[in-house]
Amino acid sequence: MEFLTDILLLSDSTLRIAAPLILAALAGLCAERAGIVDIGLEGKMLAAAFGAASAASITGSPWAGLVSGILVSVLLALLHGYVSISQRGNQIVSGMAINIMVAGLAPTLANAWFSRGGQTPLLPNEARFTEITLPFADLVADVPLLGAVYSDLLSGHSLLTYAAFAAVPLVAWMLYKTRFGLRLRAVGENPEAVDTAGISVTLLRYQAMIIAGVLCGVSGSALSTALGAGFIRDMSAGKGFLALAAMIFGKWKPVPTLLACLLFAFVDALQGRLQGVSLPLIGEIPVQFTIMLPYVLTVIILAGFVGKMEAPKASGIPYEKDR
Amino acid sequence: MGVVPAIETRELCKRFGAVQANDRISLSVEQGSVHGIVGENGAGKSTLLKMLFGFYQPNSGDLLVNGEKLKLDSPSDAMAAGIAMVHQHFMLVEPFTVLENIILGAEGQPMLDHAMSDAKAKLIGLEQQFGFDLPLDTEVSKLSVGERQRVEILKALFRGADILILDEPTAVLTPQECDQLFDLIGLLKSRGKTVLFVTHKLHEIMAITDDVTVIRAGKVVLRTTTKDTSPDALAEAMVGAKINRAVERAGVDHGAPRLRVEAISAKSDHGYQALKDVSFELYDGEVLGVAGVAGNGQTELLEALAGLRQVSAGVVHLAGEHVNSPQKLTDPIALRRAGLAHVAEDRLKAGVVASMTATENAILGYQREKDFCENGLLKLGAISETANRYFESQDVRPRDSSLPVASFSGGNQQKLVIAREIARDPQTLIIGQPTRGVDIGAVTKIHDQITELRNAGKAVLVVSADLDELMAISDRILVMCEGEITGIVPINEADECSLGLMMAGAAPSDERQGSGA
């Protein structure tokens, strides 16, 4: 029984941790499928986390927080779009610049506005997306196994966590079932073909950046107003890069990307559980090593242990009409 | 006649900087006809086409479609006017299915499932009407080149095109695929479509067009119905009054061959058989020209000779030494030291590093030599002296070797590369596309230089897509088609028409049989 509880707890925190990762990975997926490499996911997440926490703290409404988080992230996405699409700049440099800028700017602004050493004030529950109890969760809680799964695992997450999981089929539907998705995938593979078909490459890519901005905005908002209760310096902690890794691992496809995110989240949850636990034979693993686990996994995966990964062909290459 | 032409241009002009690419082009294409446009490389065919489908806008002149004066600002304007272009490089998304490629941009509705089923219904009709048999649900990446071209044509028909522009459609096709294409063009014509067929192969013009317009140096030089002309007349119009620069030729020294290629075969980067059983000899004191439609193995041949591609069968001997075989590949450094210099076909890819200075580029490939490098340190003084010497001897302009190579014109870049490669007095020189992207002034200089080398007793092999160039500088011309040699002709027996047939794969014996295909 205790083992079962352990599993449930572990799965529960996996879902929790996976949510912002999934949203950010989908953001990266939309951008790269349209041919824009988005290494600035991390920065956008962090900026959105700060924007959401600030607005929620001032207005007392999580919804105001979410809207502001999305807005900040979309603006940064458009900035990245301007550099990469209109100015045909280097997309890695632009993305990295956003990461660095946000890492410095967010705590500085937080300090200027709230004078709390680069953090925003602790959000009260009314200003957060709190856990939602799904209908009948209490009723079925005593049903063996299935009841526990429903009430402990599936119920009791924030709205944004549910939104993250809902975003996967939504993005997949957009990519594979709509005209817009067809064009978006085409522009990431062969922008010239799109151009000669009479569709604007520029417009299409900007649209993709806006979608990426929205998804990243929800992801950052989830960090500070759902999982946490306020903005803390560097609270994204490399999740943007993990999301990028998950997207690559997921071969730029929504469902495999979801699975990759769950894997990363599971390892992260596992390392949380392993802290201070004495394992048979090995003994207690130093915290420093357990924290490393998700990142070590990333390195192993990206070092090519999962076979050939083929990015969209035009990804990262600025489109110039006359070559 | 009496009907309005499908496409008419009046005094169409297009300039790029100082270059007049199209000079008062007047063209009239009858509805429901196949109209050929011929001209040499660089004559201005592509510029004209790009104006016809809205990619470029003319500087002056009028464009009329079905009698209506139009201004095409983009390819979609052209499409709306019923003009579609099949590009030489296909505009297809490889991981997409045929169907997805066809509907891209013409989906008609936001939901893909509906768009696809509607399109399928429409395509079945089109396929029957025009005799297509394309697997709609197969990924384009799995199709052959010929099939991809048919996808492009079907795509144009799906969009309701009445006027199809085919830009050198046969350049990438096998002879069998060409026949298929010609059948299709005939069918298109019989169904009332107008086809503009652009090529530089005369027998194709003779075989399938109704009318023909010849362009030379940006101007229309001949406009005629095909049945009233002959390949000879067309060739003459294309080439113009030929300046027969009588090159001083010293006698060829038929001693031992400098380079002996014995039955070599090699695979291309894409894994197909690019060279099949190629054998020839290159002697001191001769220029051997290699002709062929681009992509018929010339690139791989150059690479095999330069030590950049290992052959899968056969042997290459350089001055009796065995340098390339399935067992052994002598690398380019060793080949250079053995006296074989290589002027790469794609200058910007393999000849220079465009962002580095001319000085640095002047020793590229020779940076390990004692003159330029000691104990791992570059001898900057000696290097810059060398670069300046090259600049003087080749008249490279501007005379500033500290500029990055990218800021020189193509001709000056090429002069620098040639200076670098001949500086060490190599006995064997292999040159790919000596004057591609080179301004007219430099062309003569480069040709003279090649002739000088030959007269000095060097063995020179030149690969070029420009047949006139080869006719002007070679002693013998070797023709390749689909990776095989289809003929080796001494220059005094060579003429453009028979070479053209060999380039198309016809055996040298039936070279004078005329059209066919």
Side-chain angles (χ1 to χ4, degrees), chain B residues 300-319:
Chain B
E300 287 78 8
L301 175 65
L302 273 178
E303 287 172 352
L305 298 182
L308 297 168
R309 180 177 300 274
Q310 187 152 22
V311 298
S312 55
V315 190
V316 178
H317 294 277
L318 175 67

Side-chain angles (χ1 to χ4, degrees), chain B residues 148-166:
Chain B
R148 290 181 199 203
Q149 190 172 58
R150 295 165 84 79
V151 174
E152 284 277 31
I153 294 173
L154 187 56
K155 191 165 116 183
L157 295 172
F158 181 75
R159 276 146 224 256
D162 288 317
I163 304 168
L164 283 115
I165 307 176
L166 309 180

Side-chain angles (χ1 to χ4, degrees), chain A residues 81-96:
Chain A
Y82 177 71
V83 174
S84 325
I85 305 163
S86 301
Q87 296 300 323
R88 302 184 184 96
N90 186 309
Q91 300 173 9
I92 303 292
V93 172
S94 163
M96 219 45 219

Side-chain angles (χ1 to χ4, degrees), chain B residues 258 282-286 318-319 332-343 366 390 417-431 449-450 452-461:
Chain B
R258 181 58 51 184
L282 174 68
Y283 294 94
D284 283 347
E286 75 160 345
L318 175 67
I333 304 171
L335 282 176
R336 281 211 168 91
R337 290 190 173 146
L340 178 138
H342 173 211
V343 175
Y366 299 92
Y390 293 169
V417 171
I418 291 179
R420 178 182 77 201
E421 298 304 334
I422 63 175
R424 275 157 200 272
D425 198 27
Q427 186 54 37
T428 314
L429 190 62
I430 55 175
I431 310 177
Q449 199 143 30
I450 291 172
E452 269 168 41
L453 287 164
R454 161 197 181 284
N455 290 349
K458 314 290 183 198
V460 186
L461 180 132

Side-chain angles (χ1 to χ4, degrees), chain B residues 435-457:
Chain B
T435 57
R436 176 179 283 175
V438 165
D439 26 304
I440 294 293
V443 170
T444 320
K445 169 122 181 103
I446 290 169
H447 286 174
D448 287 346
Q449 199 143 30
I450 291 172
T451 308
E452 269 168 41
L453 287 164
R454 161 197 181 284
N455 290 349

Side-chain angles (χ1 to χ4, degrees), chain A residues 173 175-183 185-186 189-190 192-199 313 319 321-322, chain B residues 53 55-56 75-76 79 87 90-96 100 103-113 159:
Chain A
W173 175 80
L175 275 180
Y176 296 111
K177 293 288 172 191
T178 69
R179 170 176 71 189
F180 174 73
L182 181 78
R183 294 175 173 185
R185 284 182 287 134
E189 290 287 344
N190 187 354
E192 242 183 325
V194 171
D195 199 11
T196 48
I199 310 163
K313 234 184 244 124
Y319 178 59
K321 198 177 171 124
D322 225 347
Chain B
F53 93 103
F55 203 83
Y56 290 156
S76 32
M79 207 114 69
H87 297 257
F90 303 138
M91 297 294 171
L92 297 173
V93 182
E94 291 199 2
F96 278 20
E100 285 174 322
I103 66 169
L104 180 66
E107 303 87 346
Q109 47 191 321
M111 288 307 127
L112 223 45
D113 285 346
R159 276 146 224 256

